Amino acid sequence: MRQILRIWLAIFGVACVGIAVAHLLFGSSTIIGGGTVNATIDSDMRFYAVLFLAYGLAVLWCVRDIETKALPINLLSLIFFAGGLARALAWIATGQPNWFYVLMTPVELVVPVVNYLLVRAVCRPSAVARS
C-alpha cells in the first residue's frame, strides 16, 4: 500500500507540474474547449499556473517519507477538493463547461478522498491523528 501511495503521488505531482508548465508557457491554447482570451484573462491564467506548479511540487515533496507527511498530503488533498468545488460553482454560475471539464469535476472531488484513505492506511497513526 505504501508503494501504491508513493507511485500515485509521484504521478499526480508530475501531472500537476506538467499541466502548470503547459498553461504557463502556452497560455489559453492549453484550455480544452477554450477560445481566444484578452490579455487580462491570459495574465490571470498564467499567474494561477505558477500556483498550480507550486502545488504539484508540494505533492512531489510529500513522496519522500510519506509516513511522516500525512498532514501535508491531507491539506493538499483538501485544496484539490476545494478546486473541484470551485469548478462545480463555475458550472452553476456560468453553465456547463467543455466535456473534458465535466469529466474532471467528479475526479477532482474523488481523488482527495482516495488520497485520504490511502494516507490512513499507510501513515503512522500519530501522523494521521494530527491531520
Side-chain angles (χ1 to χ4, degrees):
M1 192 66 83
R2 176 187 184 278
Q3 194 63 10
I4 290 171
L5 179 58
R6 289 188 79 221
I7 291 169
W8 162 244
L9 288 176
I11 291 169
F12 182 64
V14 167
C16 291
V17 167
I19 292 166
V21 168
H23 288 322
L24 182 62
L25 296 179
F26 302 108
S28 65
S29 67
T30 61
I31 303 296
I32 298 168
T36 305
V37 299
N38 63 31
T40 301
I41 299 299
D42 187 66
S43 172
D44 224 25
M45 193 183 94
R46 291 177 198 250
F47 173 85
Y48 290 120
V50 172
L51 299 178
F52 195 50
L53 174 63
Y55 178 89
L57 293 172
V59 170
L60 291 173
W61 171 76
C62 291
V63 172
R64 283 184 58 148
D65 303 319
I66 57 172
E67 294 86 356
T68 64
K69 298 218 172 89
L71 181 60
I73 294 169
N74 286 336
L75 288 174
L76 289 166
S77 295
L78 182 61
I79 291 168
F80 200 74
F81 185 83
L85 291 177
R87 191 179 301 283
L89 176 62
W91 188 345
I92 292 166
T94 60
Q96 181 175 324
N98 177 277
W99 65 267
F100 177 78
Y101 299 101
V102 170
L103 293 177
M104 287 307 299
T105 302
V107 169
E108 292 162 345
L109 297 173
V110 170
V111 163
V113 175
V114 172
N115 284 353
Y116 177 76
L117 294 173
L118 285 171
V119 165
R120 297 232 5 128
V122 170
C123 294
R124 291 191 299 234
S126 61
V128 173
R130 286 191 304 248
S131 64

